[in-house]
Amino acid sequence: MARVYNFSAGPAVLPEEVLREAAEEMLDYRGTGMSVMEMSHRSKPYETIIHEAEADLRELMNIPDNYKVLFLQGGASQQFAMIPMNLMKNKVADYIVTGQWAKKAFQEAKIYGTANKIASSEDKTFSYIPDCTDLPVSEDADYVYICENNTIYGTKFKTLPNTKGKPLVADVSSCFLSEPVDVSKYGVIYGGVQKNVGPAGVVIVIIREDLITEDTLPGTPTMLKYKIHADNESLYNTPPAYGIYICGKVFKWLKKLGGLESMKELNEKKAAVLYDYLDESKLFKGTVVKEDRSLMNVPFVTGDEELDAKFVKEAKAAGFENLKGHRSVGGMRASIYNAMPIEGVQKLVEFMKDFEARNLK
């Protein structure tokens, strides 16, 4: 068996240890005689799986007691509608647009009320995070929305915006569990798990209890009401059971590694290997201003589209998968999520140095 170094932005690399453990349990989960894929979500074994997953996540993130953890379906994109449907009491919300996903969430919110774009970095192709210390937050805004780490463009909020007392809603899909966070600073913090936590099909929503009400927008489907899922402990209908099971294993893997402080240290070391090389390279260059660089997603270019394509092709042949940049920006992007070993980044840089030596004019 030959495992490649998978730099995909999502679905992305998972810890090999977790995959092996899941493979061992595939046909018979702990003496039940069946796979987790086959068992009832109402059964005792599955009840234990989902409750343990929540308990471990609460421990990892130090989630306060007045927050609910919901394991939902529909991906992060479904939250673009679910958030305004549940939170837009005044039908006003403020959005900080720093990439494609924040832009899509902003456009979706316009369907349900007045969505105000109070800051944006679109003027420079989303290559930076705007100053959010003194924003024109609307007096009647129900919340302020950000995408905290921008997968496509490789930027990250290092300081949360000053929301002037309004609840902060954050999409953390591509930086989920990559470093410690203070959950109490958010009204809602959510993420699709397929980038840093588990297989596609699960979105985790961590929401402050006072924001969970029956007062949703008229016409909100039952399945899109946070209260329904909170009251039923994420088991209102059949959840993405196997995906949650894998997430639970990843939570235990993170705990074993020493938690989110340890993970942050490792992620900073990994990112430094790649960024340090990009800063000294005469062929490759990063596309993000230094102070806003993501630890998870690293976009870079040669400045020549043909050379970019040649690099991606040769890298693939050498065992480095999914390095092509998003279609909207081109170039290359290395997503170096939690489960990417540091050796993978080191070997990528070795390959880049060799490519530079062979192609620098």
Side-chain angles (χ1 to χ4, degrees):
M1 180 187 74
R3 293 272 294 169
V4 297
Y5 287 112
N6 179 12
F7 292 93
S8 171
V13 61
L14 284 166
E16 196 169 310
E17 181 182 320
V18 165
L19 294 175
R20 289 184 184 282
E21 202 175 290
E24 285 170 15
E25 294 176 344
M26 179 58 78
L27 294 175
D28 178 9
Y29 176 73
R30 301 188 181 178
T32 59
M34 61 184 125
S35 171
V36 173
M37 282 188 190
E38 304 169 297
M39 66 175 55
S40 166
H41 61 294
R42 306 286 180 200
S43 67
K44 283 288 182 194
Y46 193 75
E47 198 176 277
T48 301
I49 288 170
I50 195 167
H51 286 167
E52 268 190 28
E54 179 178 338
D56 287 339
L57 181 61
R58 283 185 175 278
E59 185 183 332
L60 278 168
M61 294 181 73
N62 196 23
I63 298 172
D65 291 342
N66 64 324
Y67 283 73
K68 292 285 188 186
V69 174
L70 309 176
F71 295 97
L72 306 178
Q73 303 180 63
S77 295
Q78 186 159 284
Q79 294 304 307
F80 299 168
M82 202 164 172
I83 285 157
M85 282 177 169
N86 285 267
L87 303 188
M88 257 195 185
K89 315 299 185 193
N90 299 322
K91 292 205 170 180
V92 179
D94 289 349
Y95 280 70
I96 299 168
V97 178
T98 53
Q100 289 292 95
W101 302 113
K103 192 175 179 179
K104 287 186 176 183
F106 168 62
Q107 296 291 351
E108 191 81 1
K110 287 181 177 179
I111 298 169
Y112 304 101
T114 301
N116 303 304
K117 189 194 295 184
I118 59 170
S120 173
S121 54
E122 195 163 7
D123 61 327
K124 293 182 180 174
T125 326
F126 300 123
S127 59
Y128 71 102
I129 297 293
D131 181 0
C132 296
T133 53
D134 186 20
L135 297 168
V137 176
S138 310
E139 277 188 31
D140 52 352
D142 293 301
Y143 59 87
V144 176
Y145 183 101
I146 62 170
C147 180
E148 196 163 318
N149 187 96
N150 296 285
T151 321
I152 295 172
Y153 301 95
T155 58
K156 167 78 163 67
F157 280 82
K158 302 297 170 71
T159 305
L160 294 177
N162 175 8
T163 64
K164 300 184 177 174
K166 304 296 182 185
L168 176 64
V169 176
D171 174 355
V172 297
S173 295
S174 53
C175 59
F176 205 20
L177 301 181
S178 62
E179 58 184 53
V181 294
D182 182 352
V183 174
S184 68
K185 289 183 177 176
Y186 303 81
V188 180
I189 182 169
Y190 78 90
V193 305
Q194 73 277 9
K195 298 171 183 295
N196 218 18
V197 188
V202 185
V203 58
I204 296 173
V205 177
I206 301 160
I207 177 169
R208 210 171 62 216
E209 286 178 348
D210 63 291
L211 298 175
I212 304 171
T213 68
E214 290 182 11
D215 177 23
T216 57
L217 293 185
T220 299
T222 302
M223 276 296 290
L224 296 186
K225 293 179 178 178
Y226 288 131
K227 192 166 192 321
I228 288 289
H229 295 288
D231 288 351
N232 290 277
E233 298 184 319
S234 303
L235 292 167
Y236 173 72
N237 71 324
T238 309
Y242 195 80
I244 294 167
Y245 154 77
I246 298 292
C247 289
K249 288 200 176 296
V250 171
F251 301 155
K252 290 192 185 301
W253 174 77
L254 283 165
K255 283 173 66 177
K256 198 162 83 174
L257 285 179
L260 301 190
E261 286 285 359
S262 298
M263 201 68 245
K264 183 187 182 190
E265 279 179 38
L266 179 57
N267 285 329
E268 285 174 340
K269 280 181 191 169
K270 279 193 297 188
V273 171
L274 186 46
Y275 283 126
D276 287 352
Y277 167 64
L278 288 172
D279 288 342
E280 69 179 33
S281 172
K282 291 183 172 60
L283 180 64
F284 299 100
K285 69 174 176 30
T287 58
V288 174
V289 300
K290 276 189 181 183
E291 60 268 27
D292 297 329
R293 284 170 166 175
S294 165
L295 293 178
M296 298 285 98
N297 310 101
V298 185
F300 56 96
V301 295
T302 65
D304 179 326
E305 286 186 14
E306 285 185 14
L307 202 53
D308 287 352
K310 183 184 180 187
F311 173 81
V312 170
K313 185 180 177 184
E314 289 188 11
K316 182 179 173 68
F320 303 101
E321 285 282 351
N322 298 306
L323 282 166
K324 188 176 180 180
H326 191 271
R327 60 187 177 276
S328 66
V329 291
M332 286 74 68
R333 172 183 52 182
S335 292
I336 50 175
Y337 296 125
N338 285 353
M340 170 59 65
I342 195 164
E343 302 82 53
V345 183
Q346 289 165 338
K347 286 185 184 301
L348 173 63
V349 168
E350 283 173 24
F351 177 79
M352 290 170 75
K353 285 178 177 175
D354 177 64
F355 185 89
E356 179 171 352
R358 289 185 285 109
N359 290 276
L360 192 62
K361 292 171 184 174

